[in-house]
Structure formats: structure tokens, C-alpha cells
Amino acid sequence: MVRYGAVDPLTATVRVNGFSPPMTQNQMLFIVGNTSSFIAFYIVVSIFIFSDSEHPISEEAHLFKLLICLHASLAVIGFLSWIFVETHDPSLPSCFGALLPDTGKWTVARYVSEHRKPIEGLDHFCGWLNVAIARSNYIPFFILTICGVFQYALQGVIGTMVLTLWHADLIREVASPEDPDALIISVLICIVTLTSFGMAFPYTMLLIFHCTLLSQGETTYTYVQNAQKAELKLRRERTALAASTKSQTSSSSSLSSSSST
């Protein structure tokens, strides 16, 4: 059994962590997209949070406060998980990696070209975070994924409730003589809501994928390898079948020609 942390990282490295230069386009898109969505959402709910009214929400005010507290908690946990994943060198042991079992999935070291060193328990190299996801940072990565699912789903739910259950309160808070029905802010909230549900979808697919891998004892690396092997095997079988069919057709044509003669 290989002890966790027994693999010594090479000293000559190129990428130490996710913040090592250069930052990729996908990484910047991830940062800007998540930050923009978070800011836009809290601009919307600030209409009620910082209202001068004694009761900015006439119905289910306690539910609104509970949902906002839950969302803020998910955002903080997700942010701290993201910071750890981006700042920690995946080749070095961590307290999170120590929680995982000493099985082949988490002890086999594989060379990662982006980091130029072997990394223990490698799952995959994440282009969106620009860092290898391995034993030492897999748990924070998984927590980040879970928080992403529920944070954005909750944003969508709260936005939907603002547009339906609390729409009268919204109009009372932001209506003006130029926009008595608060149409402009309603459209903006609708955009934020749809965007939130849209961002929840890839997080959900990622979570389902990794839950499947965990249940099967696989890593993303081995999953891709097995998929490539299966595809190669299928291509060879199709090539062999096509060659066999062509050979049979040629034989049949020869027999037909001989019979005619």
C-alpha cells in the first residue's frame, strides 16, 4: 500500500497552482462569469435587503431571509473551496487528501505536462480552473461543484419568486412615474434568473459525472482512456467488418461470373 504523500514532486516546475501564469481564456471566463452573476443577483435582492420600508416583503418575509442566508453560505463555502483549489499545489499533500482512502484511484501518480511533474491521485487537468485536480484538492473541487449547483439553482428560484410571489412588493419598491409597473427591473431580473438556471446546468452535469465516477471507482483520466480504447476497438471492428463484406461481395461476383461462363 502506498502511503499518501510518498511521491516527491520534482523541483523543476512550470505551473505550481491555478494562479500561476499564464491564465487561460476559459479560466478568465469562469472568474468573470461567476463574479458577474453573483454581483447581478445581489443587486437584485438589495432592493429588498436595503429597503427603507419596515416590511419590504409583505408575504413570506422569513422565507426570503432564509433563502438569502442559505445562498450567502453556499457562496462563501464555494468561494473558499475555489481559493484553495487555485492556490494549492496539487502535487503537495493536504488535509483534504488525507481524508481519502489509500486505494489505487488516489495513490497512483501520473505525469501532468502542464505541471511538469507526477501528481498523486490525478483525476484530470481542469481547463476552467487551470490546475490539475488530484488527491490533495479533489474534495474542495467536489465541494465547489456542489455549491455551484445549489447556489445557481437557488438564485434562479429566488428570482422566480421575486417575479411572481413578491412581484407586488417589487413594484412598490422600485416603481416610478416613468415605469409604474417596474417593467425594466423585471426584465433585468428575468435575465438574471434565466442566466442562473443556465449556469446551474453545467455544474449539475459535472456533479452527476463525478458522482458516477466515484461510484465506479474511476477517475476522469481512466474514463477518457477507456472511452478512447472502446472507440478504437469499435473502429477496428467496423474496418474488419467492411473488409469482410467487401471480400464476400468480391467472391460472390467471381462465382456469378464463373457460372455465367
Side-chain angles (χ1 to χ4, degrees), residues 37 40-41 44 152-161 163 186-202:
S37 179
F41 172 74
V44 169
Y152 287 110
L154 196 56
Q155 282 185 197
V157 169
I158 294 174
T160 302
M161 295 180 75
L163 291 172
S186 295
V187 171
L188 293 176
I189 294 174
C190 184
I191 293 173
V192 172
T193 300
L194 292 175
T195 303
S196 297
F197 281 129
M199 294 185 72
F201 179 75

Side-chain angles (χ1 to χ4, degrees), residues 5 9 32 43 62 84 120 133 141 144 152 159 164 169 176 192 197 242:
V32 173
I43 289 176
H62 61 286
F84 181 88
E120 191 173 6
I133 304 302
F141 167 79
L144 171 62
Y152 287 110
T164 54
D169 301 301
S176 63
V192 172
F197 281 129

Side-chain angles (χ1 to χ4, degrees), residues 115-133:
H115 292 273
R116 288 194 182 176
K117 53 187 171 183
I119 296 181
E120 191 173 6
L122 176 69
D123 184 82
H124 68 288
F125 184 88
C126 180
W128 294 98
L129 300 175
N130 207 14
V131 70
I133 304 302

Side-chain angles (χ1 to χ4, degrees), residues 66-87:
L66 176 63
L67 292 177
I68 294 300
C69 288
L70 180 58
H71 180 274
S73 299
L74 289 168
V76 169
I77 295 172
F79 176 75
L80 293 177
S81 299
W82 172 74
I83 287 293
F84 181 88
V85 172
E86 291 285 45
T87 58

Side-chain angles (χ1 to χ4, degrees), residues 153-223:
L154 196 56
Q155 282 185 197
V157 169
I158 294 174
T160 302
M161 295 180 75
V162 169
L163 291 172
T164 54
L165 181 63
W166 301 319
H167 192 248
D169 301 301
L170 175 68
I171 293 176
R172 186 182 67 248
E173 292 293 329
V174 302
S176 63
E178 295 78 14
D179 188 12
D181 296 323
L183 182 61
I184 295 176
I185 189 65
S186 295
V187 171
L188 293 176
I189 294 174
C190 184
I191 293 173
V192 172
T193 300
L194 292 175
T195 303
S196 297
F197 281 129
M199 294 185 72
F201 179 75
Y203 274 104
T204 303
M205 293 298 99
L206 181 64
L207 180 61
I208 292 173
F209 176 69
H210 277 277
C211 284
T212 303
L213 292 180
L214 288 172
S215 67
Q216 297 175 350
E218 276 193 287
T219 65
T220 303
Y221 181 87
T222 57
Y223 172 84

Side-chain angles (χ1 to χ4, degrees), residues 13-28 31 86 113-116 125-131:
T13 63
V14 170
R15 173 162 292 280
V16 177
N17 55 43
F19 286 147
S20 298
M23 298 182 75
T24 64
Q25 184 177 353
N26 283 346
Q27 186 180 18
M28 293 302 300
I31 295 173
E86 291 285 45
S113 58
E114 290 85 356
H115 292 273
R116 288 194 182 176
F125 184 88
C126 180
W128 294 98
L129 300 175
N130 207 14
V131 70

Side-chain angles (χ1 to χ4, degrees), residues 28-92:
M28 293 302 300
L29 182 61
F30 179 88
I31 295 173
V32 173
N34 283 273
T35 303
S36 301
S37 179
F38 177 85
I39 293 174
F41 172 74
Y42 273 97
I43 289 176
V44 169
V45 297
S46 66
I47 295 171
F48 300 114
I49 295 176
F50 300 108
S51 171
D52 294 330
S53 303
E54 185 177 352
H55 300 290
I57 294 180
S58 56
E59 296 183 9
E60 305 294 342
H62 61 286
L63 177 60
F64 174 78
K65 294 178 181 178
L66 176 63
L67 292 177
I68 294 300
C69 288
L70 180 58
H71 180 274
S73 299
L74 289 168
V76 169
I77 295 172
F79 176 75
L80 293 177
S81 299
W82 172 74
I83 287 293
F84 181 88
V85 172
E86 291 285 45
T87 58
H88 179 74
D89 183 347
S91 68
L92 299 177

